[in-house]
Amino acid sequence: MKVYNTLSGQKEEFLPQGDEVKVYVCGVTPYADCHIGHAMSYIIFDVIRRYLQFRGYKVKYVQNITDIDDKIIDRANQLGISTGELAGKFTTRYFEDMDALNISRADIYPKATEEIPKIIEVVQDLVDKGYAYPVGGSVYFRVRNVSDYGKLSHRSLESTMSMENALGSDDKESPMDFVLWKAAKPGEPLWASPWGPGRPGWHIECSVMSLKYLGNTLDIHGGGQDLVFPHHENEIAQSESFTGIKPFVKYWLHNGLVQLGEEKMSKSLGNLITIKEALGRYSPDAIRIFVLSSHYRSPLTYSEEALESAEKGLDRLRQVVHSEGKGEKGEGEIDTEAYHQRFIDGMDDDFNTPQAIAALFDLARDINRLSDEGYSVTQGQQVLLELADVLGLTLKPLVKPSLDAEPFINLQKSTIAKIRRAKLEKVIEEVERLLHEQGTDAQEATPYINLLREVRNALRKEKHFQLADEIRAKMGELGIILGDTPSDTIVKRKR
Ligand SMILES: [Zn+2]
């Protein structure tokens, strides 16, 4: 298995330190909703983790939450709420997005504000060793003392130093030096430290959290290409100076960035598409396929057309997985081993997901053909589902919630109970989402609840009590009580 290492600038054989691969990925600063750029990065590292597990590795995956930061402070001040309240709210919304996109949870999500003692300990040690110095209540890292500074971003120390004259100087010894501890300004959250009240700098947080939870050397450190310099360069300088051990990270993996048209998608340009907006229009699987259809190191251009075509492609996979061929000719012969191998060959080559996806579509075409010819295709379907799962694709049937009861009621005559159930689940999911986002009184949920009531009445009339009871149980979990009278169902909401 080969991975492209930003540090060496080439593909290298992947040889982790032990059976358990230690992975650290830079996490969010929760001050606003996550956008498609976040979705891209977290989907990619989720797939890398899933693939390592598929290949038999254990993975320990740590992702930080930067819950104190200039942006959080500014936004909280604008809204007149505490930084804790703001960060808490957007951390919850971040997890909603990740769960919706079927991104596995990290093993540990350390928060900067909960790691202050360890951060102070590491900063003090860097001061003691001469790698850092306090000035006016802040502490800066002395970049000149690290001879191989710039090795990740491939900048020479001289070229970095030539910036010095251009930039001028404040209280730092050199403009290249970066902050480890920021002296508190009036009205900002602060923690006591040997250098006075303040808060940690962003770069040191990642060094400390990765060190604490994964040890002195990580196997994989991931993030977007925009983090290479200065964030990751600085992480290396801090971590290697503190531990005295090189390398801090064996394999540095960086994903390309999302563009909207010709421009980078970014908050400052005001051209963001949030994950929640995208999920309102496309299925989670379609967003994943869209991201994985390009190589992870390439830039990804967001467009409605690309997502619509991802959704169409997915429909084909979904149909193939859920079709029940007549199978009168017995089990069809598909060389599933060959598809398995193609998938692995692609993914082993620096996670070439476009190639892996192409193997899935070819397998689907084979299954379809055999099914049309009258063969049973369960074996092929199983392999398709298994490989899709490595990419985090659920291939669940896509049913847009409709406010028309007719198609649901008509489905009762169909023999395919599972399709009916899937459609109802989609409606229930919608109710759940609305209640979660807007509270138990959400008026927008009413038409969906009424629809469920109507369908349930029809089911009971037909004596389909099992499915009718399932609807009631699920609604009960959401705090919606469906009470039955002989002729109708009454809806009550718990408060
Ligand atoms: Zn980081």
Side-chain angles (χ1 to χ4, degrees):
M1 187 173 154
K2 284 194 156 56
V3 301
Y4 181 90
N5 189 350
T6 308
L7 189 63
S8 64
Q10 51 196 355
K11 284 185 196 171
E12 295 175 19
E13 191 62 33
F14 182 66
L15 299 166
Q17 304 162 85
D19 297 338
E20 189 179 63
V21 181
K22 297 176 161 89
V23 182
Y24 185 90
V25 177
C26 289
V28 286
T29 302
Y31 73 105
D33 275 333
C34 288
H35 54 79
I36 290 293
H38 296 107
M40 177 183 184
S41 192
Y42 299 134
I43 286 171
I44 282 161
F45 288 102
D46 179 55
V47 167
I48 289 174
R49 174 199 203 175
R50 285 169 183 264
Y51 185 66
L52 290 170
Q53 288 167 336
F54 173 73
R55 295 291 263 139
Y57 292 107
K58 273 194 287 180
V59 176
K60 189 169 179 189
Y61 191 103
V62 177
Q63 191 175 314
N64 66 300
I65 295 174
T66 306
D67 61 346
I68 187 70
D69 174 272
D70 289 343
K71 285 178 283 211
I72 292 179
I73 294 171
D74 291 348
R75 188 79 188 119
N77 285 342
Q78 277 168 22
L79 296 172
I81 57 175
S82 71
T83 52
E85 200 182 326
L86 181 79
K89 176 184 165 187
F90 284 106
T91 301
T92 304
R93 291 175 70 83
Y94 156 78
F95 281 121
E96 284 167 14
D97 291 346
M98 295 301 108
D99 291 349
L101 290 172
N102 197 29
I103 291 169
S104 309
R105 294 260 178 137
D107 296 301
I108 305 169
Y109 288 101
K111 292 182 178 165
T113 57
E114 291 169 8
E115 305 292 344
I116 304 287
K118 183 75 185 167
I119 292 171
I120 290 175
E121 186 191 317
V122 173
V123 173
Q124 182 63 60
D125 180 88
L126 289 170
V127 171
D128 294 345
K129 288 179 177 150
Y131 286 109
Y133 55 94
V135 178
S138 294
V139 180
Y140 295 98
F141 190 90
R142 190 174 272 133
V143 171
R144 279 168 192 279
N145 281 15
V146 176
S147 58
D148 57 0
Y149 186 82
K151 64 183 169 184
L152 181 72
S153 51
H154 308 289
R155 296 166 192 233
S156 69
L157 197 54
E158 292 87 65
S159 81
T160 323
M161 280 205 276
S162 69
M163 293 175 359
E164 286 192 42
N165 299 332
L167 283 169
S169 192
D170 43 17
D171 52 353
K172 295 186 282 185
E173 289 177 4
S174 155
M176 294 189 304
D177 295 350
F178 55 88
V179 73
L180 300 175
W181 185 263
K182 292 185 181 185
K185 290 187 205 139
E188 285 185 359
L190 51 86
W191 287 265
S193 84
W195 318 284
R199 60 190 164 93
W202 172 39
H203 313 306
I204 193 71
E205 295 170 4
C206 280
S207 278
V208 169
M209 294 186 214
S210 58
L211 183 87
K212 177 168 171 185
Y213 294 101
L214 293 169
N216 292 341
T217 298
L218 321 179
D219 293 301
I220 292 176
H221 191 317
Q225 279 163 2
D226 51 345
L227 297 184
V228 173
F229 187 88
H231 185 51
H232 290 163
E233 196 69 67
N234 291 351
E235 277 189 42
I236 295 179
Q238 296 163 153
S239 297
E240 293 184 351
S241 301
F242 172 72
T243 63
I245 294 166
K246 293 180 188 191
F248 160 48
V249 172
K250 285 195 80 175
Y251 305 97
W252 282 97
L253 271 54
H254 291 103
N255 62 273
L257 304 177
V258 176
Q259 300 182 326
L260 196 66
E262 298 291 300
E263 284 177 319
K264 182 193 157 185
M265 192 182 276
S266 79
K267 190 142 183 87
S268 50
L269 290 171
N271 60 357
L272 293 182
I273 310 270
T274 66
I275 295 175
K276 287 190 196 300
E277 282 165 346
L279 282 169
R281 310 174 74 163
Y282 308 103
S283 68
D285 274 355
I287 295 172
R288 290 187 83 108
I289 286 255
F290 160 67
V291 167
L292 299 172
S293 294
S294 304
H295 190 269
Y296 77 90
R297 285 191 281 117
S298 310
L300 180 67
T301 303
Y302 181 93
S303 74
E304 306 283 305
E305 297 75 41
L307 273 146
E308 271 155 28
S309 104
E311 197 81 82
K312 271 193 200 124
L314 263 171
D315 273 342
R316 270 166 40 218
L317 295 182
R318 290 186 185 115
Q319 275 166 21
V320 162
V321 162
H322 297 287
S323 74
E324 287 171 35
K326 292 190 207 86
E328 66 267 17
K329 292 192 189 165
E331 184 70 32
E333 284 247 337
I334 298 179
D335 190 353
T336 51
E337 200 41 54
Y339 284 110
H340 226 258
Q341 197 54 49
R342 262 182 68 190
F343 183 89
I344 289 175
D345 289 346
M347 292 296 283
D348 266 1
D349 181 17
D350 191 30
F351 312 107
N352 189 332
T353 52
Q355 203 173 312
I357 288 175
L360 293 190
F361 277 99
D362 288 348
L363 171 58
R365 210 176 43 219
D366 254 10
I367 295 171
N368 220 6
R369 180 178 50 79
L370 285 168
S371 175
D372 286 350
E373 288 171 7
Y375 290 99
S376 158
V377 288
T378 47
Q379 199 203 338
Q381 284 172 321
Q382 243 167 40
V383 172
L384 183 55
L385 271 172
E386 185 201 343
L387 296 180
D389 182 58
V390 178
L391 302 179
L393 301 170
T394 63
L395 304 188
K396 275 190 198 152
L398 172 73
V399 188
K400 288 232 172 75
S402 147
L403 292 182
D404 181 7
E406 199 52 35
F408 294 89
I409 294 164
N410 283 342
L411 267 172
Q412 291 158 37
K413 289 160 197 136
S414 150
T415 51
I416 312 167
K418 72 178 178 190
I419 290 181
R420 185 162 59 191
R421 190 165 279 129
K423 279 184 191 266
L424 288 169
E425 273 171 6
K426 200 80 192 166
V427 178
I428 291 168
E429 265 174 43
E430 186 66 13
V431 173
E432 184 171 15
R433 187 182 69 77
L434 289 166
L435 295 184
H436 190 78
E437 275 179 19
Q438 304 178 13
T440 49
D441 285 325
Q443 287 311 302
E444 282 178 70
T446 304
Y448 294 100
I449 294 169
N450 289 341
L451 169 67
L452 288 165
R453 190 189 64 164
E454 223 178 313
V455 171
R456 195 167 162 274
N457 280 340
L459 287 168
R460 289 176 69 231
K461 270 186 206 132
E462 272 199 8
K463 303 202 188 311
H464 280 275
F465 293 117
Q466 198 195 332
L467 194 53
D469 285 347
E470 275 182 40
I471 294 176
R472 181 161 66 176
K474 285 202 170 157
M475 299 307 286
E477 284 167 24
L478 298 178
I480 294 173
I481 314 298
L482 300 179
D484 292 326
T485 69
S487 61
D488 199 359
T489 306
I490 297 160
V491 178
K492 262 194 228 153
R493 295 198 201 182
K494 267 191 214 158
R495 272 150 217 266

